[in-house]
Amino acid sequence: MTYDFDSIIPRRGTLSYKWDSAPEGVLPMWVADMDFKTAPAIIDALRRRVDNGIFGYTSVPDEYYEAVVAWFGRRHGWKIDREMMIYTSGVVPAISAIIKALAKPGEKVIVQTPVYNCFFSSIRNNGCVILESPLRKTGDTYAIDFDRLEKDASDPETTLMLLCNPHNPAGRVWSSDELRKIADICGRHGVTVISDEIHCEFVFDGYRYTPFATVSEEAGCKTVVCVSPSKAFNIAGLQIANIVAPDESTRALIDKAINVNEVCDVNPFGVIATIAAYNEGEEWLSQLLEYIKGNYEYMKEFCISNLPEFPIARLEATYLVWMDCTKLGLKSEELEEKLIKDVDLWLNAGTMYGTVDGEGYMRWNIACPRPVLADGLHRFLNFTKKSKDKSGTL
C-alpha cells in the first residue's frame, strides 16, 4: 500500500499547539510534531475504541508489552524483558522522574549542548545543576569531545548524564563505538546515563540506531532508556512512553518517583495507539522515512543553490534541521522574532538548545508536505534578501 504524505491537512482550529499558537498567516516550522496524519492502522484502532463510548480508567494489557518487546527486538535487535519496562505519560515526565529518583538536589547532570531544551528544565526543576559538555562542530556535523566528557564525568558532584540518542538538534546518530566510549567513561566514574531515544525510528539509510542499553552493560555503566512511539507516529497528544531500566534497584527507585510525580497513569488511546503502531505501522513508517529524507535532500539542494551563506547540518536522523545563521549577525531570539514579523515564518531559536552553543543557529521542523517546506524556504530566502538590501552585505 502506498501512503499519502503530500496532502496538506488543515490544522488551524483543531487546538493544535503548533498551529493555533501561531498568528494567522504565520507558517509554524518550530515545535517537533509532524503535519502528516498518523498511520491508518492507528486511526482505525482508535475509531474502534471511540465507538465503545466509555473512556474510564484504563489498564495496560499483556498485548501492550508484547508489542513493544517485539518491535524493538525485530527492528533494532534489542531484547527487552517486560520486567524492565515502566510505562508513563511521556518522555519528558519520565526524565524528570528519573532525575528525582537518581540524583540529589545540588548534584550535577551532564548534557551535550546544543541539546533538546526540556533537558534543562527537567534538571533545574529537580534542584540539580546543569553541566554543559559541548559537542564539537566538525564541518557539517558534530562530534563528542571525549576529553571534555571525561573531565565532566570525573567531577565528584556529577551523578547523571542525559544522552540524546539520536541527537536533537544536531541530527547525529551516535555510532556503537561512540556509545561504548560514553558508557566506558560514565561507567568508570559511576555516572548513570539516561538516554532519550524518542527519535530512534527517524534514522536514514547509511546509519544505524544503537540502543544505549545494548552497549552500556558490557562497560559496567548503569543506564535508563526512554522510548515512545509519539514522534515516529505523530501521536504525542496521546501521551504514552516507556522507561526501560535493566537494573532492578534502579527501576524500583524510578517506579517510586513516577508515583510521587503522579505520572503513573496513562490514557486508553495511548495504549491502543502503541499496540497498533508497533504491530501494524511498520510499512507506513518506512514510507514516511523515505519522504522525510526526500524533504531533507530538497532543503539541502535549495540551500546550496539559494542560501549558501546558511549551511545546514548533515541530517543522519530526526526531522529537525540545524541551520547556521551567523552570517546575519543577529541573536537567535531576535532572528526568531524578526522572521515571524517580517516574513510570517516561525522557527526555533538556537539558544533554546544552549545559550552559547546555539547562538546564531535556528532549528527547522521539516516533517511536512514538500510544498509547505518549499514555502518556508522561500520565506526565509525573502528575509535574507531584505536583510541584504538593508545592509548591503550578509
Side-chain angles (χ1 to χ4, degrees):
M1 180 177 180
T2 300
Y3 297 99
D4 175 20
F5 300 105
D6 285 314
S7 293
I8 297 175
I9 312 298
R11 297 188 65 193
R12 287 193 185 274
T14 65
L15 303 181
S16 162
Y17 180 66
K18 177 180 179 180
W19 282 85
D20 289 331
S21 298
E24 191 66 36
V26 171
L27 177 61
M29 301 187 75
W30 60 300
V31 68
D33 81 17
M34 300 190 289
D35 290 327
F36 307 118
K37 282 188 177 182
T38 191
I42 295 175
I43 296 171
D44 291 342
L46 293 175
R47 186 176 289 117
R48 290 192 296 270
R49 182 64 183 83
V50 167
D51 286 344
N52 175 261
I54 299 175
F55 313 110
Y57 299 119
T58 194
S59 61
V60 177
D62 290 343
E63 187 182 2
Y64 174 90
Y65 293 96
E66 291 163 1
V68 175
V69 168
W71 176 271
F72 282 95
R74 178 178 71 249
R75 195 170 170 87
H76 303 300
W78 180 19
K79 186 181 184 301
I80 301 173
D81 292 334
R82 170 177 171 163
E83 291 72 24
M84 296 177 181
M85 292 172 53
I86 303 171
Y87 59 78
T88 186
S89 58
V91 165
V92 173
I95 290 170
S96 292
I98 295 165
I99 295 172
K100 180 187 290 291
L102 303 183
K104 297 181 179 69
E107 292 182 337
K108 296 178 181 179
V109 182
I110 297 170
V111 294
Q112 295 176 302
T113 51
V115 74
Y116 177 47
N117 54 294
C118 285
F119 281 10
F120 303 113
S121 56
S122 290
I123 295 168
R124 285 194 299 264
N125 291 345
N126 281 286
C128 293
V129 177
I130 298 164
L131 179 55
E132 296 191 23
S133 190
L135 297 174
R136 186 163 37 83
K137 186 79 159 47
T138 307
D140 66 347
T141 191
Y142 284 81
I144 296 169
D145 184 339
F146 286 105
D147 290 337
R148 175 62 183 267
L149 182 59
E150 181 86 44
K151 174 179 176 293
D152 292 335
S154 67
D155 186 327
E157 296 181 352
T158 301
T159 304
L160 303 174
M161 174 180 177
L162 272 182
L163 174 67
C164 201
N165 175 41
H167 193 91
N168 164 27
R172 275 298 315 275
V173 180
W174 303 122
S175 70
S176 57
D177 285 344
E178 288 170 314
L179 294 176
R180 284 190 186 93
K181 288 180 182 177
I182 293 172
D184 175 66
I185 290 170
C186 290
R188 283 190 285 103
H189 296 292
V191 174
T192 298
V193 176
I194 306 168
S195 188
D196 174 358
E197 303 188 357
I198 197 170
H199 289 282
C200 67
E201 304 305 338
F202 288 103
V203 174
F204 304 115
D205 288 344
Y207 305 97
R208 182 177 177 82
Y209 154 67
T210 302
F212 186 72
T214 64
V215 303
S216 59
E217 188 175 5
E218 62 194 55
C221 176
K222 280 190 179 180
T223 183
V224 182
V225 176
C226 300
V227 292
S228 171
S230 61
K231 294 296 183 198
F233 293 94
N234 205 24
I235 54 173
L238 301 186
Q239 297 185 317
I240 192 82
N242 293 291
I243 299 166
V244 182
D247 179 72
E248 185 177 358
S249 60
T250 301
R251 190 163 62 249
L253 292 170
I254 294 168
D255 189 55
K256 180 179 179 181
I258 287 286
N259 283 271
V260 169
N261 279 15
E262 303 289 3
V263 288
C264 51
D265 293 318
V266 291
N267 73 75
F269 299 109
V271 173
I272 294 295
T274 299
I275 295 168
Y278 287 160
N279 286 346
E280 305 175 69
E282 197 158 6
E283 178 55 33
W284 179 89
L285 179 62
S286 294
Q287 293 184 33
L288 171 69
L289 288 175
E290 287 296 317
Y291 193 90
I292 292 176
K293 181 65 183 300
N295 274 0
Y296 168 67
E297 295 295 343
Y298 175 87
M299 182 175 185
K300 183 170 70 172
E301 291 304 315
F302 186 96
C303 290
I304 290 170
S305 300
N306 302 286
L307 297 164
E309 303 94 341
F310 302 91
I312 59 176
R314 183 169 73 230
L315 194 68
E316 301 173 357
T318 83
Y319 51 75
L320 304 163
V321 177
W322 191 239
M323 176 182 273
D324 182 346
C325 299
T326 52
K327 285 292 179 65
L328 286 168
L330 299 171
K331 299 289 188 182
S332 291
E333 290 184 5
E334 181 185 2
L335 178 54
E336 179 179 346
E337 293 173 1
K338 288 179 72 66
L339 285 168
I340 294 171
K341 179 181 176 182
D342 294 353
V343 292
D344 293 330
L345 175 64
W346 192 349
L347 305 178
N348 281 124
T351 44
M352 286 183 67
Y353 312 101
T355 53
V356 175
D357 303 291
E359 188 62 87
Y361 289 78
M362 302 298 285
R363 192 189 77 166
W364 292 70
N365 174 355
I366 65 168
C368 57
R370 201 152 300 149
V372 176
L373 174 59
D375 183 10
L377 288 167
H378 280 97
R379 293 183 193 212
F380 189 86
L381 177 61
N382 288 339
F383 178 84
T384 65
K385 288 178 177 178
K386 290 178 181 178
S387 299
K388 190 172 184 178
D389 288 343
K390 288 179 181 178
S391 66
T393 60
L394 276 179

